[in-house]
């Protein structure tokens, strides 16, 4: 794609402290009618592109994040409508993004081995011929309006330096120096990004404006989202407007950062943008940063108005796959909070939160992958990130806890609880879509990873390394890694076996390993009476979920007793929760799962909602982030259990579907659908006195049953 084409940047010497945003321009002539034109481009860290003053795309935050030494993601755009015979101009502005983070943080991106000045590589083909390429004929300036930009901190924008003519052909750039060809080009393979772009997806008007002082107000947008504020400003030239973004405010109207600013960014402003006024009305939103927030404190407006600010919900523009609603407003709100948290963390990687870190935590992703693919058309998004996982694996087969990583995360935050994303993503994509291409592609990485695990296995056949049942309600009671690793290795081996089956590879060796691990797990963790040696929700739930028993009955009694002992509350972390609800379903204890999800008192989802949650929290204690997705597995449980749409065991892509809604006494009605690759499956039910009216719609080409009875294509109406 970019043969004999190079990145260009502003200057040959890398200034590690610079946080400006270079602007590049090139004028060129077209002597023929433009029948076709394709721009291929990758800007590092992020770039925005215009041709003849018009935006090339509404895409945001490209090029997509990666380990730039391994992969450089690029995008292509049809730009024929923007070109004309005669003189034309192409304009690019670059920001730091993940490529050049120069602020200190806990995760060492300021020490990333790829760090360098922002840069761009591009080719413009017109009528099939190369017409423009990035080279030293481009002009460049560092005197643009973006005077500071850090993705995980904020942006400074001086509107006095903004000149809209800079995008146009007529602008005089003769005083600008020429760009330089990059001598420190990333060595990564160029890969076209097929994932959906990041876009402005929703706009939220302020619900209220709170006046704090003469020139300080707080806008409350009513929902916790990822994105930024679009602010209308008309202040005197040189006046500075400060926009601070938070998820919560205190009773005294001070901003509540939940320990995230000083603790993680001791030397850098946290979620803060600065705008310098020019004396004319100007509408500003940042280009090179986004935040997680519900509230925005704005300082410096003389006559603030509630209509001056709009919150822009920014995320990857991925389609919803599911819909859920029922007679319980709490469950509806909880489901929508899960949707909000999922969307808020779709930024070319499944981030943990849009506030503190914006990092691709592997443990969070393993917990949420099934939910992502049940509720969203997330396969392109996750396939892109799986390549980043390949890139992150070191020569030994180890994976870091965050992906992409600058090198941090191999010593903490990793282990099977995190590494399982390598397995979970291709498996769930295959299960939900029938596409096994990624599962086949990842197989060599599976083998490499298992070779790595052998180096960690002790004389007892155990792996003690890695995360435990992270983020449980009682820190001291979190189940340790050894048991969890045993269960997850059985899961990984089963997925490896599936990959071998799809590839036509002999599975005998893997079968033996599975049998050995299951036998070892039973020996270590099953008592003679069939109960689990570890009397906890996570351990018993995982044994049931993965079928590690000879007789289910003792484990069923045990998990019922544990749940009753905890008064139908969670007493597990993110690992245990991922398996708890379906384990209860397998035991026929649907009501137990329902009671846990809807329970009152600490710890519970309901306490989050009472606290004002519009997204899911990171901690049962309600501390730290208020927009995490890792506790979202209840959403797939709702679709399987309350709506009742299930892929039949042994099938994929809902080609064979079992409809099995549970008509909970607490609900009077429910309805929902899943848009499968083979069409929409819809279920609705309503309680009418002592009867249930059930409606099931099945598309052509899908075999579906209800209680063992085959359903016809189209609408099925059943009275129970």
């Amino acid at each position: 794609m970019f043969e004999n084409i190079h990145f260009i940047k502003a200057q040959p010497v890398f200034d590690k402290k610079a946080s400006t945003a270079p602007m590049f321009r090139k004028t060129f002539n077209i002597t023929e009618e433009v029948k076709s034109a394709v721009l291929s481009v990758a800007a590092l860290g992020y770039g925005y592109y215009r041709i003849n003053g018009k935006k090339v795309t509404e895409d945001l935050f490209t090029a997509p994040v990666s380990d730039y030494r391994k992969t450089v993601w690029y995008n292509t755009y049809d730009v024929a409508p923007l070109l004309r015979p005669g003189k034309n101009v192409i304009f690019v502005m670059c920001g730091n993004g993940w490529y050049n983070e120069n602020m200190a943080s806990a995760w060492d991106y300021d020490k990333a081995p790829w760090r360098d000045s922002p840069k761009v590589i591009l080719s413009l083909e017109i009528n099939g011929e190369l017409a423009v390429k990035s080279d030293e004929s481009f002009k460049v300036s560092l005197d643009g309006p973006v005077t500071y930009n850090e993705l995980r901190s904020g942006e400074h924008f001086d509107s006095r330096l903004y000149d809209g003519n800079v995008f146009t052909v007529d602008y005089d750039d003769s005083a600008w120096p020429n760009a330089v060809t990059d001598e420190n080009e990333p060595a990564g393979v160029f890969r076209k990004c097929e994932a959906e772009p990041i876009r402005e997806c929703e706009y939220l008007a302020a619900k209220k404006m709170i006046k704090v002082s003469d020139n300080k107000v707080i806008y409350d947008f009513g929902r916790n989202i990822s994105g930024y504020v679009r602010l209308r400003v008309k202040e005197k030239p040189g006046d500075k407007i400060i926009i601070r973004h938070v998820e919560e405010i205190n009773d005294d109207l001070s901003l509540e950062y939940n320990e995230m600013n000083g603790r993680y960014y001791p030397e850098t402003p946290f979620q803060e943008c600065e705008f310098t006024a020019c004396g004319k009305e100007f509408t500003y939103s940042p280009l090179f940063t986004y935040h997680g927030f519900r509230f925005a404190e704005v300082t410096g407006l003389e006559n603030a108005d509630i209509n001056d600010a709009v919150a822009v919900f920014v995320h990857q523009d991925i389609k919803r796959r599911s819909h859920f609603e029922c007679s319980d407003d709490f469950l509806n709100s909880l489901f929508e909070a899960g949707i909000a948290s999922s969307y808020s963390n779709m930024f070319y990687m499944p981030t943990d939160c849009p506030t503190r870190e914006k990092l691709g935590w592997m443990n969070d992703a393993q917990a949420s992958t099934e939910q992502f693919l049940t509720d969203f058309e997330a396969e392109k998004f996750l396939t892109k990130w799986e390549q980043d996982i390949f890139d992150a694996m070191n020569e030994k087969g180890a994976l870091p806890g965050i992906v992409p990583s600058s090198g941090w995360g191999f010593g903490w935050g990793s282990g099977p609880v995190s590494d399982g994303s390598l397995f979970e993503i291709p498996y769930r994509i295959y299960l939900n879509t029938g596409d096994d291409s990624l599962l086949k592609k990842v197989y060599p990485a599976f083998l490499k990873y298992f070779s790595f695990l052998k180096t960690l296995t002790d004389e007892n056949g155990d792996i003690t390394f890695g995360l435990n049942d992270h983020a449980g309600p009682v820190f001291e009671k979190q189940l340790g890694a050894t048991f969890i690793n045993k269960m997850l290795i059985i899961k990984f081996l089963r997925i490896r076996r599936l990959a071998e089956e799809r590839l036509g590879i002999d599975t005998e060796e893997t079968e033996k390993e599975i049998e050995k691990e299951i036998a070892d797990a039973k020996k270590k963790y099953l008592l003679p009476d069939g109960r689990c040696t570890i009397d906890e929700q996570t351990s018993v739930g995982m044994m049931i979920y993965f079928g590690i028993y000879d007789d289910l009955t003792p484990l069923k009694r045990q998990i019922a007793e544990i749940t009753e002992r905890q008064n139908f509350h969670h007493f597990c972390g993110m690992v245990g929760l991922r398996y708890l609800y379906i384990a209860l379903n397998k035991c026929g204890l649907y009501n137990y799962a329902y009671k846990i999800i809807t329970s009152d008192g600490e710890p519970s989802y309901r306490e989050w909602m009472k606290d004002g949650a519009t997204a899911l929290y990171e901690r049962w204690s309600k501390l730290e982030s208020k927009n995490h997705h890792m506790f979202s597995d209840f959403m797939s449980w709702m679709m399987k259990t309350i709506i009742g749409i299930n892929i039949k065991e042994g099938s994929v892509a809902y080609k064979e579907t079992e409809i099995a809604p549970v008509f909970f006494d607490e609900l009077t009605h429910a309805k929902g659908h899943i848009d499968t690759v083979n069409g929409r499956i819809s279920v609705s039910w309503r309680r009418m006195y002592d009867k249930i009216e059930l409606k099931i719609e099945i598309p052509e080409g899908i075999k579906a049953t209800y209680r063992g009875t085959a359903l016809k294509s189209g609408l099925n109406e059943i009275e129970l």
Side-chain angles (χ1 to χ4, degrees):
M1 176 55 63
F2 298 110
E3 294 85 359
N4 301 315
I5 303 176
H6 301 281
F7 281 92
I8 54 173
K9 57 185 181 181
Q11 49 199 11
V13 179
F14 174 37
D15 181 356
K16 284 192 172 184
K17 295 298 182 183
S19 285
T20 54
M23 302 181 298
F24 301 86
R25 277 176 50 95
K26 180 179 174 65
T27 57
F28 57 97
N29 285 301
I30 298 176
T31 59
E32 58 183 331
E33 178 188 357
V34 178
K35 297 178 180 178
S36 66
V38 176
L39 176 67
S40 301
V41 61
L44 307 180
Y46 294 134
Y48 294 98
Y49 325 112
R50 290 178 183 253
I51 291 178
N52 295 328
K54 301 289 183 65
K55 290 182 179 180
V56 166
T57 176
E58 296 298 327
D59 297 1
L60 305 174
F61 301 107
T62 63
V65 60
S66 65
D67 180 336
Y68 306 99
R69 301 166 301 173
K70 307 286 182 65
T71 292
V72 174
W73 297 102
Y74 73 93
N75 297 87
T76 61
Y77 302 103
D78 176 6
V79 295
L82 304 181
L83 297 168
R84 60 195 179 219
K87 191 176 181 181
N88 293 260
V89 65
I90 187 167
F91 172 91
V92 180
M93 178 182 278
C94 291
N96 288 316
W98 290 105
Y99 187 64
N100 182 34
E101 182 170 281
N102 62 35
M103 63 186 202
S105 73
W107 306 281
D108 294 344
Y109 275 87
D110 59 317
K111 302 172 185 174
W114 57 68
R115 275 195 66 193
D116 196 12
S117 305
K119 61 190 66 173
V120 63
I121 190 170
L122 65 82
S123 70
L124 173 61
E125 292 187 356
I126 299 175
N127 299 337
E129 298 292 332
L130 180 64
V132 178
K133 65 178 181 177
S134 50
D135 59 22
E136 293 185 350
S137 66
F138 272 73
K139 297 284 191 161
V140 62
S141 173
L142 292 170
D143 298 324
V146 178
T147 59
Y148 170 88
N149 70 100
E150 289 292 345
L151 174 66
R152 293 197 290 170
S153 171
E155 180 180 290
H156 295 178
F157 189 98
D158 189 338
S159 63
R160 297 171 300 178
L161 303 176
Y162 178 82
D163 184 348
N165 291 322
V166 74
F167 310 128
T168 67
V169 167
D170 297 328
Y171 181 82
D172 181 7
D173 60 12
S174 59
W176 289 19
N178 289 82
V180 297
T181 302
D182 187 20
E183 295 182 359
N184 186 31
E185 291 189 293
V189 174
F190 285 108
R191 302 182 195 276
K192 183 178 178 181
C193 184
E194 303 290 352
E196 296 84 351
I198 297 171
R199 292 273 177 89
E200 293 186 352
C201 294
E202 191 176 351
Y203 302 92
L204 282 64
K207 297 290 185 182
K208 65 174 74 170
M209 185 185 77
I210 306 165
K211 189 168 184 178
V212 181
S213 62
D214 287 345
N215 73 338
K216 182 184 293 185
V217 296
I218 294 174
Y219 292 98
D220 177 1
F221 297 102
R223 288 165 54 196
N224 194 343
I225 63 168
S226 58
Y228 40 70
V229 172
R230 180 156 292 140
L231 187 68
R232 185 173 60 200
V233 179
K234 187 178 181 181
E235 304 296 335
K236 297 185 295 296
D239 283 0
K240 293 191 183 298
I241 314 301
I242 307 297
I243 312 168
R244 297 184 176 94
H245 307 75
V246 293
E247 297 178 306
E248 294 183 297
I249 57 173
N250 297 311
D251 291 341
D252 64 357
L253 301 183
S254 61
L255 306 184
E256 177 54 65
Y257 287 104
N258 292 308
E259 302 181 353
M260 289 192 281
N261 55 340
R263 179 180 174 189
Y264 293 96
Y265 301 100
E267 302 172 0
T268 307
F270 178 68
Q271 297 214 131
E272 180 176 307
C273 289
E274 177 183 292
F275 175 85
T276 303
C278 61
K280 299 177 182 178
E281 184 172 303
F282 198 102
T283 300
Y284 167 70
S285 53
L287 291 167
F288 298 112
T289 188
Y290 74 93
H291 310 291
F293 68 102
R294 170 178 169 171
F295 301 92
E297 179 197 81
V298 181
T299 304
L301 295 179
E302 288 295 324
N303 296 293
D305 185 272
I306 194 169
N307 296 312
D308 287 341
V310 173
V312 185
F313 196 176
V314 176
H315 55 78
Q316 271 182 274
D317 193 9
I318 296 172
K319 290 181 180 179
R320 289 272 301 270
R321 178 167 270 150
S322 74
H323 173 77
F324 172 89
E325 63 179 279
C326 70
S327 57
D328 187 332
D329 288 339
F330 162 72
L331 287 178
N332 295 335
S333 297
L334 182 62
F335 193 89
E336 288 306 309
I339 294 293
S341 287
S342 299
Y343 267 145
S344 295
N345 289 288
M346 291 180 177
F347 277 79
Y348 290 120
M349 55 180 167
T351 61
D352 59 326
C353 59
T355 48
R356 177 182 68 228
E357 300 175 37
K358 301 179 173 69
L359 294 173
W361 277 96
M362 297 268 279
N363 56 316
D364 290 23
Q366 181 173 201
S368 296
T369 294
E370 180 175 2
Q371 180 270 119
F372 283 156
L373 285 161
T374 300
D375 296 315
F376 303 90
E377 294 181 9
E379 46 269 27
K380 290 181 181 179
F381 158 59
L382 292 170
T383 296
K384 179 270 173 189
W385 193 56
E386 186 82 353
Q387 178 62 53
D388 296 327
I389 295 174
F390 297 162
D391 291 346
M393 181 177 278
N394 68 17
E395 65 281 357
K396 295 179 181 178
L399 288 163
I402 57 173
V403 171
S405 170
S406 65
W408 185 93
F410 286 95
W412 191 90
S414 54
V417 167
S418 300
D419 306 341
S421 288
L422 177 72
F423 295 85
E424 184 79 357
I425 288 170
Y427 169 64
R428 292 292 169 185
I429 288 175
Y430 172 59
L431 189 64
N432 280 271
T433 71
D435 183 354
D436 64 0
S437 58
L438 185 59
L439 186 64
K440 292 175 179 176
K441 180 180 178 180
V442 78
Y443 179 68
F446 288 172
L447 298 181
K448 189 174 181 180
Y449 180 73
F450 275 106
S451 294
F452 164 69
L453 285 183
K454 288 179 181 178
T455 69
L456 302 179
T457 305
D458 65 19
E459 64 276 9
N460 297 315
D462 291 325
I463 296 172
T464 60
F465 171 74
L467 281 181
N468 57 12
D469 193 15
H470 182 64
V474 180
F475 182 82
E476 296 80 6
K477 292 288 186 178
Q478 291 176 169
L479 182 63
T482 303
F483 171 87
I484 293 169
N485 291 347
K486 178 65 72 173
M487 295 296 108
L488 292 179
I489 287 165
I490 293 170
K491 168 185 171 180
F492 300 165
L493 284 166
R494 288 169 171 168
I495 295 172
R496 188 178 92 182
R497 177 181 61 191
L498 177 62
E500 289 168 346
E501 290 172 352
R502 303 305 299 171
L503 286 162
I505 295 172
D506 185 8
T507 64
E508 182 179 0
E509 180 181 339
T510 302
E511 294 278 6
K512 288 179 180 178
E513 288 191 49
I514 294 170
E515 291 172 5
K516 176 186 173 184
E517 292 293 342
I518 290 175
D520 191 47
K522 288 179 178 179
K523 178 181 177 181
K524 290 174 177 173
Y525 299 115
L526 280 183
L527 294 166
D529 64 1
R531 293 166 68 94
C532 182
T533 59
I534 305 172
D535 192 36
E536 300 287 350
Q537 271 184 349
T538 297
S539 52
V540 181
M542 292 185 82
M543 295 283 278
I544 294 168
Y545 186 99
F546 291 116
I548 313 302
Y549 52 80
D550 297 313
D551 181 1
L552 178 60
T553 303
L555 291 176
K556 175 181 176 179
R557 292 197 193 102
Q558 190 174 11
I559 201 165
E561 291 168 6
I562 293 168
T563 306
E564 292 163 4
R565 187 168 69 234
Q566 299 301 332
N567 195 23
F568 296 93
H569 285 80
H570 296 102
F571 201 72
C572 58
M574 60 178 298
V575 178
L577 183 142
R578 168 69 182 83
Y579 303 106
L580 175 62
Y581 308 137
I582 296 302
L584 290 167
N585 276 14
K586 286 183 70 173
C587 296
L589 298 172
Y590 304 102
N591 283 320
Y592 280 55
Y594 184 91
K595 287 181 179 180
I596 291 173
I597 292 170
T598 60
S599 63
D600 206 349
E602 300 283 1
S604 69
Y605 293 117
R606 197 177 292 273
E607 288 299 309
W608 291 354
M609 304 305 282
K610 287 181 182 178
D611 192 51
T614 60
L616 305 181
Y617 288 3
E618 178 183 10
R619 303 281 182 181
W620 295 113
S621 62
K622 302 192 285 289
L623 297 174
E624 300 192 65
S625 165
K626 300 297 188 293
N627 198 340
H628 261 62
H629 61 84
M630 65 187 186
F631 286 122
S632 64
D633 193 62
F634 67 86
M635 299 167 70
S636 56
W637 179 88
M638 286 181 182
M639 296 307 301
K640 291 177 179 179
T641 311
I642 297 177
I643 305 304
I645 302 174
N646 295 268
I647 301 172
K648 185 177 180 181
E649 187 172 351
S651 183
V652 296
Y654 297 91
K655 291 177 182 177
E656 295 184 60
T657 301
E658 291 182 341
I659 306 298
V662 178
F663 310 117
F664 292 102
D665 292 342
E666 295 85 350
L667 301 177
T668 60
H669 64 268
K671 69 176 181 178
H673 68 249
I674 294 179
D675 289 326
T676 79
V677 294
N678 295 299
R680 174 173 291 183
I681 302 172
S682 298
V683 177
S684 65
W685 60 266
R686 179 175 296 275
R687 194 182 305 280
M688 299 295 290
Y689 303 106
D690 59 344
K691 294 181 180 179
I692 300 289
E693 292 181 351
L694 175 63
K695 295 181 180 180
I696 305 168
E697 290 191 65
I698 303 298
E700 291 283 350
I702 287 181
K703 294 181 180 179
T705 58
Y706 173 70
R707 294 184 177 178
T709 300
L711 299 170
K712 64 182 182 182
S713 298
L715 179 63
N716 297 260
E717 297 186 82
I718 302 169
E719 188 174 280
L720 303 169

